Amino acid sequence: MAYKTQFDDGLELAQYHTNIDDYDDGKQTVLQSPGGKSVISEYGGMEVHQYGGGTRTISTGSSIPEDSSEKLPINSRKYEENSRSRLRRDLKTRQISMIAIGGALGTGLLINTGPSLAQSGPVSMIIGYTLVGVLCYAVMAALGEMASWLPIASGFTGFANRFVDPALGFAVGWNYWFKYIINTPNNLIASTLVIRFWFDKAGYEGPASNAALYVAAILVAVIAINLFGVGIFGEFEFVLSSLKVLIMLGLIFFMFILAVGGSSSISAPGFKYYVNPGAFAPFLASGGAGRFLGFWNVLSSAVFSFDGAELVGVTVGEAQNPRQAVPRAVKLTFFRIVFFYIVLVFLLGLNVPYNSPLLLSANSESGKTVSANASPFVVAANIAGVSLIPDIINGCLLIFTFSAANTDLYIATRSLYSLAVEGNAPSLFARTSDRGVPLYALGVCSSFSLIAFISVDVGSFETFRYFVSLVTIFGLLTWIAILLSHICFVRARRAQVVPDTALAYVSPFGINGSFCALAFAIIILIFNGFADFTSDPITGERFQWRKFIVHYIGVVIFCAMIAGYKIVVKTKVWSAQQADIFEGKQKIDDDEAEFLAAEAVRLRDSPESKWKKWYRATLGNFF
């Protein structure tokens, strides 16, 4: 496989190869575009596109030189970088690929599946997780199409700003930042509660069990990882995400062994729990209505579990070769969803009945703490009479929560940086160090993490989780913004005569798929708090107003930010002809060509080892 770049003047820059043995076999296709010649080349099995240069034609018939300062206005601001606000493209393709899956593997899968199983039943879980998995994949595909065309540092915040309305970019940027400055201390707290599991098990209450010590240690560690540059962060997350994958594979294997009777304590359960107590659990009502409500109850829980997959859109501004990394991460998302979520949820339903007293006890624990005691997979092990599993699951949870805290701080920092780049936050937060780290943004986000020290009072965790539930809905709002941006992006590139063949990746769902996914996401958003209108079995309240506020105030805040911004700044929705899909693209194309040239030299001087070739041909195709 080869890569070749050719400029409009006919001069070849270089010829690059991923396999040194076929160095003389280049391949190139040149298309004629409104902006001159567009080079579509192959590199490592992926098409790399250069589109633009020369002039681009607007629907009015006028032409704007690519190098001209006369651009379509975007909030009266250009998308430019300078030496003091430039991120470094140090994230490797393998790192982004693993970060993409690591972002969607967390405590939501290891713990939140328990309440879903108890309230909805195994088949409702499978259907619900499958539907939300398709929604997640549609979001990732939409994001992948935009990010592979224009991998700007501001990510999907910039896409909303450019393609839809600056007001939406403002709202989604602050929404995402707010979500992760809360999630960072929450995962720090979760980590300390996971550690406390072993102290509680041993009955130790000495100084070493002080939660503040572990909050401080983990906080210092994640700040240090983020401080030393995205390359260091990417390598840490590659290792941690790889461990997550191995944990999931081990858990799937363990649950499969239990399902086929591998435990000496009980016979193979098979599908007997689908018959008794049943495949569908009634929720809030009896009969068919209760079973439907049980299924509907799974959807919001599944959104929480899949939430975080979109963080690949935050990393594109620091990817070495985003037009290879992003499509790869998106394409593998579907297989990961099927393998890690659907298969694991299916096996959980085979091993644990939804009316198990042990499961109900674990669900009660999940409202107070994060530890092995709250995991339904520990329940499965206890039912099968397998010991030592609680300690193993707890160790896995510690890896998950540490990785989540590390990633959350990174996302919060880059979200604040993106807001500053877009002009929606003080420009100070766009300042970067020599390593490409937004130091002031990192400092502010790290200071919010000090909230985690409230974990010295473990009783406050339940109140804090209540607040976290408030901002969890922001994840669904982000998905909605991504889908809306993609719809506007497709309309814009069609209006500005950019064909599908000029893109490195095109969503398999197309614009109609994004419309359907958008409608589904909005329906989940609207009916997310349907259970709040029923009586609370514990307090007897006929209308659970506190939970209602938690479920819907996020939507009110999001809409208020959009309305307020439009009133103050007086922005408008961009038409398909006005949406800016070109600004800054030429610089990205040039950087890509420069990176690939250096990579070609590296591969020529240091041929790929047999181990790397084996990994790329086998596990590299999945992870």
Side-chain angles (χ1 to χ4, degrees):
M1 194 66 65
Y3 173 84
K4 181 184 288 184
T5 295
Q6 185 176 31
F7 292 124
D8 286 347
D9 59 7
L11 295 176
E12 291 185 1
L13 171 66
Q15 185 172 357
Y16 320 126
H17 298 260
T18 56
N19 188 337
I20 209 70
D21 296 329
D22 61 354
Y23 185 77
D24 294 326
D25 181 23
K27 181 178 179 181
Q28 173 185 312
T29 302
V30 180
L31 297 180
Q32 185 69 33
S33 73
K37 288 184 178 178
S38 171
V39 178
I40 302 179
S41 308
E42 292 189 4
Y43 176 75
M46 190 210 84
E47 290 183 341
V48 179
H49 301 248
Q50 291 185 346
Y51 188 90
T55 62
R56 63 184 176 93
T57 304
I58 308 301
S59 60
T60 58
S62 62
S63 293
I64 300 177
E66 188 67 26
D67 297 329
S68 170
S69 61
E70 182 184 356
K71 299 290 182 181
L72 293 174
I74 292 188
N75 198 18
S76 68
R77 182 178 177 85
K78 286 182 179 295
Y79 291 79
E80 296 177 348
E81 288 183 350
N82 58 61
S83 59
R84 295 193 300 173
S85 62
R86 182 175 298 155
L87 301 177
R88 292 182 60 174
R89 292 189 177 273
D90 289 339
L91 280 179
K92 299 178 175 64
T93 298
R94 62 176 175 83
Q95 293 170 340
I96 291 180
S97 184
M98 290 303 295
I99 289 172
I101 185 174
L105 293 178
T107 57
L109 184 58
L110 286 186
I111 293 180
N112 276 42
T113 45
S116 294
L117 177 61
Q119 296 171 355
S120 306
V123 174
S124 289
M125 280 190 69
I126 294 173
I127 297 173
Y129 271 76
T130 300
L131 290 176
V132 176
V134 173
L135 170 61
C136 177
Y137 182 52
V139 171
M140 290 291 290
L143 179 60
E145 181 174 319
M146 295 184 291
S148 58
W149 168 260
L150 197 65
I152 55 177
S154 52
F156 45 75
T157 301
F159 299 148
N161 201 336
R162 287 182 175 223
F163 308 149
V164 187
D165 187 328
L168 180 63
F170 173 84
V172 74
W174 283 108
N175 147 59
Y176 211 62
W177 178 74
F178 184 58
K179 176 175 182 283
Y180 279 98
I181 61 165
I182 294 300
N183 277 351
T184 305
N186 178 60
N187 278 299
L188 292 172
I189 292 173
S191 298
T192 61
L193 292 172
V194 169
I195 294 171
R196 189 174 178 84
F197 168 85
W198 287 297
F199 290 109
D200 291 342
K201 184 177 179 179
Y204 178 79
E205 292 293 340
S209 65
N210 189 340
L213 295 175
Y214 301 101
V215 170
I218 296 172
L219 180 57
V220 168
V222 298
I223 291 175
I225 293 172
N226 278 269
L227 185 62
F228 289 110
V230 72
I232 300 295
F233 166 82
E235 206 59 49
F236 264 94
E237 276 308 304
F238 177 80
V239 173
L240 292 173
S241 294
S242 298
L243 289 175
K244 288 182 182 181
V245 169
L246 293 176
I247 289 168
M248 290 295 102
L249 291 174
L251 198 55
I252 288 172
F253 182 73
F254 171 70
M255 296 295 287
F256 176 77
I257 294 297
L258 295 185
V260 298
S263 170
S264 59
S265 302
I266 60 172
S267 59
F271 287 89
K272 71 176 183 179
Y273 296 139
Y274 279 56
V275 178
N276 183 24
F280 298 89
F283 181 64
L284 300 177
S286 59
R291 289 190 290 273
F292 173 77
L293 293 176
F295 153 72
W296 195 261
N297 185 59
V298 173
L299 298 180
S300 59
S301 176
V303 168
F304 176 78
S305 295
F306 286 113
D307 186 27
E310 77 289 338
L311 67 84
V312 68
V314 180
T315 66
V316 293
E318 296 175 278
Q320 288 181 343
N321 189 8
R323 293 192 175 112
Q324 182 187 44
V326 174
R328 177 178 175 80
V330 172
K331 290 175 183 177
L332 292 178
T333 297
F334 175 78
F335 301 103
R336 292 160 176 170
I337 287 172
V338 171
F339 193 74
F340 290 112
Y341 278 90
I342 309 304
V343 171
L344 200 53
V345 164
F346 168 71
L347 292 173
L348 179 64
L350 293 181
N351 288 287
V352 181
Y354 70 73
N355 62 350
S356 167
L358 292 175
L359 180 63
L360 298 177
S361 176
N363 293 342
S364 176
E365 283 292 313
S366 69
K368 298 180 293 184
T369 187
V370 175
S371 73
N373 290 332
S375 175
F377 298 100
V378 172
V379 173
N382 289 336
I383 292 175
V386 179
S387 59
L388 297 179
I389 290 299
D391 291 283
I392 295 174
I393 292 292
N394 209 61
C396 296
L397 282 169
L398 184 58
I399 294 173
F400 277 48
T401 53
F402 178 82
S403 173
N406 186 40
T407 304
D408 290 347
L409 183 59
Y410 168 82
I411 297 174
T413 302
R414 293 324 187 262
S415 296
L416 187 55
Y417 168 86
S418 298
L419 285 164
V421 168
E422 299 292 336
N424 293 323
S427 59
L428 177 70
F429 297 126
R431 297 280 185 88
T432 56
S433 67
D434 293 338
R435 297 176 181 268
V437 178
L439 289 178
Y440 295 101
L442 176 62
V444 169
C445 296
S446 299
S447 65
F448 275 95
S449 300
L450 298 176
I451 300 172
F453 283 98
I454 67 171
S455 65
V456 295
D457 176 15
V458 176
S460 64
F461 177 74
E462 187 171 359
T463 302
F464 194 76
R465 274 182 69 94
Y466 212 56
F467 187 59
V468 170
S469 297
L470 166 68
V471 299
T472 298
I473 200 65
F474 282 165
L476 188 55
L477 288 167
T478 301
W479 286 7
I480 290 172
I482 291 172
L483 292 168
L484 187 58
S485 299
H486 177 250
I487 292 169
C488 294
F489 170 71
V490 174
R491 287 177 170 175
R493 65 179 179 82
R494 287 177 179 174
Q496 299 179 37
V497 204
V498 178
D500 289 354
T501 53
L503 276 71
Y505 175 80
V506 178
S507 170
F509 299 102
I511 191 171
N512 291 330
S514 289
F515 269 119
C516 293
L518 178 63
F520 185 41
I522 291 174
I523 290 172
I524 295 175
L525 184 71
I526 293 173
F527 294 100
N528 177 56
F530 73 92
D532 304 336
F533 296 91
T534 62
S535 297
D536 189 319
I538 299 176
T539 64
E541 288 181 312
R542 302 185 70 177
F543 172 60
Q544 302 176 54
W545 61 271
R546 294 178 184 84
K547 292 183 178 179
F548 176 82
I549 292 175
V550 169
H551 286 133
Y552 291 104
I553 195 173
V555 180
V556 175
I557 294 173
F558 189 77
C559 293
M561 285 193 290
I562 294 176
Y565 192 84
K566 289 188 74 67
I567 291 172
V568 174
V569 185
K570 295 180 174 57
T571 64
K572 64 176 182 178
V573 177
W574 301 119
S575 68
Q577 290 78 18
Q578 290 176 317
D580 193 334
I581 62 175
F582 287 98
E583 180 71 36
K585 186 176 184 301
Q586 190 61 55
K587 173 67 165 59
I588 295 171
D589 291 343
D590 293 343
D591 289 345
E592 180 186 33
E594 183 179 347
F595 166 76
L596 291 174
E599 187 70 3
V601 173
R602 186 187 67 82
L603 288 172
R604 184 188 61 195
D605 295 341
S606 302
E608 195 174 45
S609 66
K610 291 183 179 180
W611 162 249
K612 288 184 178 180
K613 288 181 179 179
W614 180 87
Y615 177 83
R616 181 165 53 82
T618 55
L619 295 178
N621 289 318
F622 299 97
F623 310 113

